[in-house]
Amino acid sequence: DKRGIAVGFSQTILMTNDGGESWQLMHQEESFEQPALFDVQFITSEKIVAVGSYGLYLESVDGGETWEAREIDGLADHYGFFSHFYSIQKITDDYWVMAGEKFIDGVDEDGFETSSALAAETRDGGETWQKLPTPYDGSFFGIEVDANGYLYVYGLRGNLYISKDQGQSWQGQFLSTASGFHDLAILDDDRWVLVGTG
């Protein structure tokens, strides 16, 4: 209850062991190609994962003392490039999910690029990642899971989708707003709160 972690621009990672009374800089790197971290998740007390811009993916296996960057090949787009990773959530020690900016998933017969919102999962503790099929071609800013194991993804233009089968199919929740959603808190089985722009 006293240990915390925060991430931000310049790949900054701060940690506290006293409930936020003091913070230690654990990692920082100026990078034009991957300038920012957007989310971080304790997997165990020793294993921590942070994700961010243009496929930025950092892992620590020693409680945040040292960090190693990895490239997640399975999440590259049609051309081998990466969009932003905005949100990561642990469901079990081996099963995690991630959401992010839309990526180019192909080119149609007329030569036009097609895109999908990024939702992905790992079933082996981050060793490999697979994209999940999504019905949306914009960006997802966050992903959450409730006590039933239902996944919630949310993002631009008031889009919120719920999956009851671990991301294999999604139900759109058509809400009366065009504002982007940036965070979601699940309060209990019947209540959740979304916040966003506007």
Side-chain angles (χ1 to χ4, degrees):
D1 63 342
K2 297 289 187 183
R3 195 155 173 247
I5 189 165
V7 296
F9 280 90
S10 300
Q11 297 189 22
T12 302
I13 301 174
L14 304 176
M15 294 194 73
T16 180
N17 290 305
D18 55 15
E21 293 295 321
S22 63
W23 293 84
Q24 293 78 47
L25 178 65
M26 308 307 291
H27 177 84
Q28 194 170 57
E29 183 176 334
E30 295 288 344
S31 169
F32 177 76
E33 278 126 8
Q34 294 178 309
L37 288 165
F38 296 130
D39 200 10
V40 63
Q41 180 76 60
F42 280 99
I43 306 303
T44 66
S45 61
E46 294 298 306
K47 186 169 185 175
I48 313 169
V49 177
V51 297
S53 54
Y54 303 107
L56 181 58
Y57 187 101
L58 301 178
E59 280 184 339
S60 175
V61 294
D62 55 13
E65 292 293 325
T66 60
W67 293 85
E68 182 176 336
R70 283 184 51 206
E71 188 171 280
I72 309 300
D73 294 332
L75 302 186
D77 72 6
H78 178 70
Y79 300 108
F81 300 115
F82 293 89
S83 56
H84 301 324
F85 300 154
Y86 286 128
S87 178
I88 185 169
Q89 292 291 330
K90 167 192 164 181
I91 299 175
T92 69
D93 283 354
D94 292 323
Y95 173 36
W96 326 333
V97 289
M98 192 188 318
E101 189 171 24
K102 70 178 182 180
F103 65 95
I104 298 167
D105 60 7
V107 178
D108 66 20
E109 62 254 12
D110 297 320
F112 293 104
E113 293 174 342
T114 58
S115 59
S116 295
L118 178 64
E121 68 173 15
T122 177
R123 298 281 182 162
D124 55 14
E127 290 298 315
T128 60
W129 284 87
Q130 299 79 37
K131 293 173 187 156
L132 295 170
T134 63
Y136 178 49
D137 62 359
S139 294
F140 288 140
F141 294 137
I143 189 165
E144 295 288 341
V145 62
D146 69 12
N148 298 311
Y150 298 168
L151 297 177
Y152 299 70
V153 288
Y154 50 91
L156 282 175
R157 299 189 296 275
N159 279 281
L160 168 68
Y161 293 86
I162 300 174
S163 175
K164 297 181 179 180
D165 56 8
Q166 299 182 328
Q168 297 310 300
S169 64
W170 299 89
Q171 285 184 308
Q173 307 299 302
F174 299 104
L175 308 178
S176 57
T177 180
S179 296
F181 293 130
H182 292 276
D183 206 356
L184 182 148
I186 297 169
L187 305 181
D188 54 41
D189 282 349
D190 299 315
R191 295 186 304 156
W192 33 264
V193 177
L194 278 161
V195 294
T197 53

